[in-house]
Amino acid sequence: MRFVPKQIESLWTLFTAPVVWAVHFLASYLSAAVFCAKQEQLAFGFDMLRLAIATFTSVALAMIVLSAWLAWRQWGFGAHDPPHDDPTGHDRRLFQGFATLLLSGLSFVAVIYVAMPLLFVTECWR
Amino acid sequence: MTRPETASVKGRQAQAERLRAVWDNPSGWRYWTSVNNFQIGLWYGSAAFAFMLFAGVLALLMRMQLALPENNFLSADLFNQAFTLHGTVMMFLFAVPIFEAIAIFLLPPMLGARELPFPRLSAFGFWSFLIGGVFVCGSIFFNAAPSSGWFMYPPLATDKDFSGIGADIWLLGLSFIEIASIAAAIEIIVGVMKCRAPGMRINMMPLFAWYLLIVAGMILFAFPPLIAGDLLFEMQRMFDWPFFDAQRGGDPLLWQHLFWIFGHPEVYIIFLPAIALMAMIVPTFAQRPIVGYSWIVLAAVGTGFLSFGLWVHHMFTTGLPQISLAFFSAASEAVAIPTGVQIFVFIATMLAGKVILSVPMLFGTGGIAIFVIGGLTGVMVALAPFDWQAHDTYFIVAHLHYVLIGGMLFPVIAGIYYYYPLVDARKLSDHLGRLAFWQMFIGFNVAFFPMHLAGLRGMPRRVFTYPADIGWHWLNLISTVGAFIFAAGVLVVVIDVLRPKHHAPRGETNPWNAGTLEWISEPEENWGVRSIPIITSRYPLWDQKNLASEINEGRFYLPDAQEGYRETLVTSVLDAEPLQCLRVGGTSYVTIVSAASLGAVFIALTFHWWITALICGVVTCAAIIYWLWTGTAEIPEKPRKDVGLGLILPLYVSGPSSVGWWAMFITMVGDGTAFASLVFGYFFYWTIHDDFTAGLAGPGSFWPMVALALFLAAWLALLTARTLNDRGQPFAMRLSLMAALFLTAGGSAAGFMGPWSHAMAPTAHIYPAIVWILVIWMLAHAAVGLMMQVYCLARSLTGRLTDEYDMDLRNVVLYWHFLSITAVVTFAVIGLFPLAI
């Protein structure tokens, strides 16, 4: 098995990083909501929740970095400049790579945004 | 680039005449049976615009009432009806549908296609929308309009004494319209992905198409939670199931979650298409390609995703844990990044080009200026502590109108002025346009800016009057004056559109010298494009010399309609390589009959006319089956066809390369989202109670597991049927289909036995109610799955489904993939989860 996936021809790759963001967001929100609703029945405290979400965040960021690297490769490691509007398969791939790279950047920042409350909130205040 | 001569001049004329005849509309009253994207788009847009004017009049009535303190121009109840209907109509009957309309109208010529892949579905969507819209709007004339606010919060809206029949009209009328929106989403996604002109790779796609693709995807995930919410809500109102009744374990907050999971993405579903119009208009008037095409794609996709992480910011004051609020606050701030990117792209394009300040640009830039102010107050209210102060005040009213009118209404008017020549071959008046713009721009700010101040002074939204001595009166008076100036501007636009123009000479085909393909379309012709071109640029009319004349001379693909069918090309997703010649549905009554009978089901349910609802339901089913039987998966008279330029393409394709398969896939993704929302409801109730079963009996594990086993067996039998069909064994295939049929019936009975045998009473408590609703959802889908199996059997027996022509069977198998997932989740949740807690 290859560690780094082969280049694939699909539109779906464009959505990799935002999907990672969405999964991270849902995982963070749902685990916090369930924790706060059920904390009296749980054997662990808020710090464990923070640790869990920090773990989600690290995994999510790592996946986004991988997606960004794959996008960077698809973009030819930046050897070509936009606008990538030639009617060729080559330019189409460059466009996909560049757009995916940009989305990875946005998703990276958005994941950090969503994780930041963990730095400041330390219990289930209402 | 010149194309070889494909036919003589005379031959080309004959081709054009055949093509024209095939795409022609019927005359007289049968004109209304048209399914052509041009007519449907126009009707859809006109109806949405008319609803907007109606809702605008309601707004003026409200402003009259609020102009003076302690006024009695409107009664409190009528005021409640007016603001509820104003919000509802603007959101559901104008803002979303107008873009479905514009998309249906513009996408085919913009993509170089004859039609979207399912024209009858578009027509069905339009008629559903119109019937539902008239029903909802008409209620106010009988003093029966919904009056609990456009988001219908329980317990007010579930209380029959306070909310009357209006709430049912809202729930059922809008559920019907939501179906129309999902139909449009399917049409748009498949159209953009599979029906682009050859050569129009995804890096060449017009930005409008990119935006619409994302928006249609958002509709697919945003509307179904509301449909699920509507279902729960109506079950409570009709049959007293306690979903939102706290006394019996329900919770009004679940409605708020489901509503806003829809409601916040909705804002972007409205905003992105408006920005998409700007992305078409700005390059034309800067006379240069857009700067940062990829950045726009980033912004569209990024906004599409992030907008789903914002819904709780409408619920900051409901007492959720602060950690939850903080997640949503963070995402609400993050969404400002892609939104800002779009604005900067437009500014950069304008700076890089030489801007012509035409009427569309005036409305566009004016709208963006207003939108930016709304965006800034949006960043303010995204901060939970500020929101606690501003929540439910006029500050929010001001914010949302700045966002929606700046981000949507102004760009739409820009779009009307820009695209009107495609409707009537003439421009609207420049003079009236400028007049309208300044009235609207000034009137808007005079009306809505003071509302920020009124809100900060504590004026709550939705009050029908206020005392004279608390300092709100002059702010309100200014707002009312502004509202009438604004309305006068809208009136000028209406006059400009409606005034007779036939005495004016016909204008040029591309009056703004735009670069995108929709500008070759001629309003006199119904065929979309005379021939389907090969595209090699993002702005083909600027870069591909003689393109328009060669298209109009029929020198590209499908210049003819020899067999008398409406045809368009299906191309590949990434590189738009031609794959299939698709025959699309033509003029038909069946769309109107289906929509009218389905509408009658919803209307009858509102008034609890059960028998009528049942009869209309049967008529709807019959109409849809007739529609499918006569109009889909038809076996062509020959397997392949010469589409011109020496290219021969298949006429029938099944499985993942067919448009029908994708339509089923997309429908089921939406359907799965609604189901996921119900499952979310189950676990939501689990979180809010220490023991959400309240000690009541559950469905047990036995019957749910039996049901699951039978459904999975039915699914396997169906997979076997498909394999046998591939091997050319029709008899064995039919046997396998029949086995699947019996297994489905058995699974449904077993599924029903779970809650039934344990005498679960859904009106007693939330636990039996939510279990029953999951089971009912499953059984309803099983019933549809059963009908599909019978349909395939009938198609096979009549020779319409063979090993070579197997589209029906493949689509049904796809449906069953989703159904088996639904079965696994439903029965595992209701049967096994109670054991785990």
Side-chain angles (χ1 to χ4, degrees):
Chain A
M1 202 183 99
R2 299 167 61 102
F3 178 69
V4 178
K6 267 200 321 203
Q7 197 149 316
I8 50 168
E9 291 274 312
S10 166
L11 184 63
W12 298 106
T13 53
L14 181 64
F15 305 111
T16 316
V19 166
V20 172
W21 172 83
V23 172
H24 170 262
F25 180 82
L26 269 182
S28 305
Y29 164 60
L30 292 178
S31 50
V34 170
F35 174 84
C36 288
K38 298 281 176 191
Q39 55 181 333
E40 281 155 23
Q41 298 161 32
L42 295 172
F44 54 87
F46 198 89
D47 282 341
M48 191 56 109
L49 175 74
R50 290 168 90 182
L51 194 65
I53 297 179
T55 313
F56 299 157
T57 306
S58 316
V59 174
L61 290 178
M63 288 170 77
I64 290 173
V65 167
L66 176 64
S67 145
W69 189 86
L70 294 175
W72 191 37
R73 183 180 66 180
Q74 194 179 20
W75 189 38
F77 298 105
H80 309 271
D81 285 330
H84 308 311
D85 57 355
D86 284 347
T88 59
H90 179 246
D91 252 34
R92 189 262 298 160
R93 274 184 285 276
L94 293 180
F95 157 75
Q96 272 182 288
F98 185 51
T100 312
L101 184 61
L102 292 177
L103 271 166
S104 305
L106 175 67
S107 306
F108 191 89
V109 174
V111 164
I112 290 176
Y113 265 48
V114 170
M116 278 197 334
L118 270 304
L119 296 176
F120 307 108
V121 181
T122 52
E123 54 185 290
C124 292
W125 292 308
R126 282 177 194 264
Chain B
M1 188 168 65
T2 48
R3 302 270 117 216
E5 284 291 332
T6 49
S8 65
V9 174
K10 213 169 165 188
R12 282 206 298 268
Q13 274 175 356
Q15 286 181 342
E17 268 161 37
R18 277 195 293 271
L19 198 63
R20 194 171 287 124
V22 162
W23 289 90
D24 199 20
N25 273 330
S27 55
W29 65 271
R30 290 188 61 231
Y31 167 75
W32 298 102
T33 61
S34 170
V35 299
N36 193 293
N37 75 293
F38 185 82
Q39 280 80 33
I40 297 296
L42 209 55
W43 300 344
Y44 219 141
S46 309
F49 208 79
F51 286 132
M52 186 275 275
L53 295 176
F54 170 74
V57 170
L58 294 177
L60 291 180
L61 294 177
M62 286 188 280
R63 283 316 321 166
M64 298 259 284
Q65 165 65 17
L66 292 174
L68 300 170
E70 289 162 36
N71 198 358
N72 56 5
F73 174 71
L74 294 182
S75 68
D77 183 51
L78 195 56
F79 188 87
N80 291 347
Q81 294 186 31
F83 74 68
T84 301
L85 215 48
H86 168 76
T88 303
V89 172
M90 287 297 191
M91 298 300 261
F92 290 95
L93 300 185
F94 173 58
V96 176
I98 192 95
F99 283 110
E100 291 157 8
I102 295 174
I104 290 169
F105 183 86
L106 275 185
L107 275 179
M110 190 178 273
L111 301 173
R114 282 268 154 69
E115 242 309 354
L116 290 170
F118 313 107
R120 289 182 178 178
L121 187 66
S122 299
F124 172 78
F126 163 72
W127 290 108
S128 299
F129 161 72
L130 186 71
I131 294 166
V134 168
F135 177 58
V136 173
C137 289
S139 60
I140 199 167
F141 299 107
F142 300 91
N143 201 27
S147 60
S148 326
W150 82 276
F151 33 78
M152 283 281 137
Y153 278 177
L156 175 65
T158 44
D159 187 315
K160 289 191 177 178
D161 295 332
F162 285 116
S163 54
I165 200 166
D168 297 311
I169 292 174
W170 189 97
L171 287 159
L172 292 164
L174 295 186
S175 298
F176 187 41
I177 289 166
E178 286 148 21
I179 294 173
S181 291
I182 291 177
I186 295 164
E187 180 81 315
I188 291 168
I189 295 175
V190 181
V192 170
M193 290 283 78
K194 305 285 289 181
C195 295
R196 306 195 304 267
M200 191 185 276
R201 297 165 197 270
I202 50 161
N203 60 323
M204 334 264 288
M205 215 158 80
L207 285 169
F208 184 84
W210 264 112
Y211 273 108
L212 265 289
L213 177 67
I214 301 303
V215 167
M218 290 169 71
I219 287 180
L220 219 54
F221 290 99
F223 277 69
L226 182 60
I227 293 177
D230 287 350
L231 173 67
L232 301 183
F233 211 123
E234 254 325 300
M235 291 306 280
Q236 172 154 358
R237 285 189 59 97
M238 272 186 199
F239 305 117
D240 194 34
W241 292 25
F243 293 111
F244 309 115
D245 178 4
Q247 280 185 329
R248 288 177 285 163
D251 190 344
L253 221 53
L254 177 62
W255 170 257
Q256 295 198 20
H257 277 293
L258 293 178
F259 186 88
W260 290 114
I261 291 173
F262 148 79
H264 202 85
E266 154 103 338
V267 175
Y268 290 90
I269 289 170
I270 291 168
F271 169 65
L272 290 182
I275 286 293
L277 282 174
M278 293 307 298
M280 304 310 285
I281 293 172
V282 168
T284 296
F285 293 108
Q287 284 292 300
R288 57 151 294 132
I290 196 128
V291 174
Y293 179 96
S294 310
W295 290 85
I296 287 271
V297 175
L298 151 90
V301 179
T303 314
F305 273 85
L306 293 180
S307 67
F308 279 86
L310 315 183
W311 82 83
V312 165
H313 77 209
H314 297 265
M315 302 165 62
F316 277 165
T317 58
T318 55
L320 295 178
Q322 288 192 9
I323 180 76
S324 300
L325 304 189
F327 288 140
F328 286 89
S329 184
S332 305
E333 302 295 346
V335 80
I337 301 171
T339 311
V341 165
Q342 310 176 81
I343 309 284
F344 284 114
V345 164
F346 294 148
I347 293 173
T349 307
M350 287 192 270
L351 287 176
K354 219 168 116 187
V355 178
I356 305 162
L357 208 58
S358 59
V359 173
M361 278 304 271
L362 263 184
F363 274 103
T365 47
I368 285 179
I370 291 172
F371 175 79
V372 168
I373 297 174
L376 291 175
T377 52
V379 173
M380 290 163 75
V381 290
L383 299 168
F386 183 86
D387 185 72
W388 292 334
Q389 303 303 316
H391 186 78
D392 261 351
T393 69
Y394 260 80
F395 190 88
I396 301 296
V397 179
H399 157 70
L400 75 94
H401 283 91
Y402 266 83
V403 170
L404 291 173
I405 293 184
M408 186 269 168
L409 185 67
F410 273 72
V412 165
I413 307 274
I416 290 175
Y417 272 85
Y418 181 64
Y419 279 119
Y420 192 79
L422 286 185
V423 178
D424 195 28
R426 291 160 187 89
K427 284 189 197 176
L428 291 172
S429 158
D430 194 56
H431 177 71
L432 289 177
R434 282 175 199 278
L435 180 68
F437 169 75
W438 286 111
Q439 280 177 316
M440 285 177 68
F441 187 78
I442 294 168
F444 173 82
N445 284 293
V446 173
F448 289 94
F449 196 82
M451 289 185 191
H452 292 112
L453 305 174
L456 292 176
R457 286 179 167 215
M459 182 169 169
R461 64 196 291 195
R462 298 178 173 176
V463 287
F464 84 106
T465 192
Y466 51 89
D469 54 357
I470 43 177
W472 300 343
H473 57 290
W474 54 274
L475 288 169
N476 274 288
L477 187 61
I478 294 172
S479 285
T480 301
V481 170
F484 277 87
I485 299 172
F486 180 70
V490 176
L491 190 64
V492 171
V493 174
V494 173
I495 291 169
D496 199 6
V497 171
L498 293 184
R499 73 191 159 83
K501 292 176 223 31
H502 40 260
H503 57 270
R506 190 196 188 286
E508 324 153 50
T509 308
N510 182 4
W512 311 108
N513 187 27
T516 39
L517 207 52
E518 70 274 20
W519 287 100
I520 54 159
S521 157
E522 295 162 289
E524 296 84 358
E525 301 290 0
N526 235 353
W527 54 41
V529 280
R530 170 70 185 83
S531 58
I532 296 177
I534 298 167
I535 295 304
T536 58
S537 162
R538 278 180 193 163
Y539 297 90
L541 296 188
W542 287 343
D543 299 335
Q544 291 179 248
K545 296 285 168 240
N546 304 325
L547 183 69
S549 60
E550 288 183 4
I551 290 173
N552 289 331
E553 285 163 17
R555 291 177 190 271
F556 289 100
Y557 297 114
L558 288 177
D560 199 348
Q562 282 155 320
E563 300 90 357
Y565 289 102
R566 296 187 174 192
E567 292 166 329
T568 191
L569 287 186
V570 173
T571 54
S572 65
V573 172
L574 290 175
D575 287 325
E577 286 154 356
L579 297 175
Q580 182 198 355
C581 172
L582 176 72
R583 289 181 173 166
V584 297
T587 308
S588 170
Y589 302 101
V590 74
T591 54
I592 302 182
V593 174
S594 309
S597 51
L598 184 60
V601 172
F602 281 98
I603 292 170
L605 286 177
T606 311
F607 298 105
H608 301 187
W609 302 332
W610 308 119
I611 307 285
T612 317
L614 188 69
I615 294 169
C616 295
V618 172
V619 174
T620 309
C621 275
I624 290 174
I625 289 170
Y626 173 81
W627 173 355
L628 294 172
W629 189 273
T630 57
T632 61
E634 282 177 272
I635 297 179
E637 74 288 351
K638 56 185 174 187
R640 273 168 287 279
K641 154 167 181 144
D642 183 347
V643 295
L645 304 180
L647 184 67
I648 293 172
L649 291 177
L651 284 164
Y652 188 107
V653 170
S654 68
S657 33
S658 74
V659 290
W661 190 93
W662 278 100
M664 176 65 85
F665 181 83
I666 294 164
T667 310
M668 294 317 292
V669 169
D671 185 81
T673 310
F675 173 65
S677 308
L678 296 179
V679 176
F680 171 79
Y682 184 95
F683 288 102
F684 177 84
Y685 292 125
W686 167 67
T687 60
I688 62 169
H689 297 293
D690 287 338
D691 175 14
F692 87 124
T693 66
L696 296 168
S701 307
F702 174 72
W703 284 115
M705 290 305 110
V706 172
L708 178 57
L710 289 172
F711 275 115
L712 290 180
W715 173 60
L716 286 174
L718 209 57
L719 289 180
T720 313
R722 188 186 63 184
T723 312
L724 292 168
N725 189 54
D726 288 347
R727 290 195 196 140
Q729 295 171 295
F731 185 72
M733 182 271 270
R734 287 170 205 154
L735 280 183
S736 192
L737 260 179
M738 283 176 67
L741 228 150
F742 285 111
L743 288 165
T744 308
S748 302
F752 180 78
M753 282 307 286
W756 179 257
S757 63
H758 292 83
M760 296 180 77
T763 53
H765 189 264
I766 190 61
Y767 176 58
I770 192 78
V771 168
W772 266 116
I773 208 79
L774 285 172
V775 170
I776 289 172
W777 182 270
M778 177 66 216
L779 297 188
H781 283 71
V784 175
L786 196 101
M787 275 167 37
M788 288 180 173
Q789 291 163 345
V790 175
Y791 182 84
C792 283
L793 206 55
R795 296 285 278 188
S796 171
L797 289 168
T798 51
R800 289 162 188 265
L801 170 69
T802 66
D803 52 347
E804 200 181 345
Y805 298 106
D806 60 348
M807 190 196 283
D808 292 317
L809 186 59
R810 286 188 179 272
N811 293 353
V812 167
V813 168
L814 177 62
Y815 175 88
W816 268 84
H817 291 333
F818 280 88
L819 189 65
S820 55
I821 295 171
T822 308
V824 170
V825 174
T826 303
F827 295 117
V829 165
I830 65 165
L832 300 181
F833 184 70
L835 301 180
I837 54 172

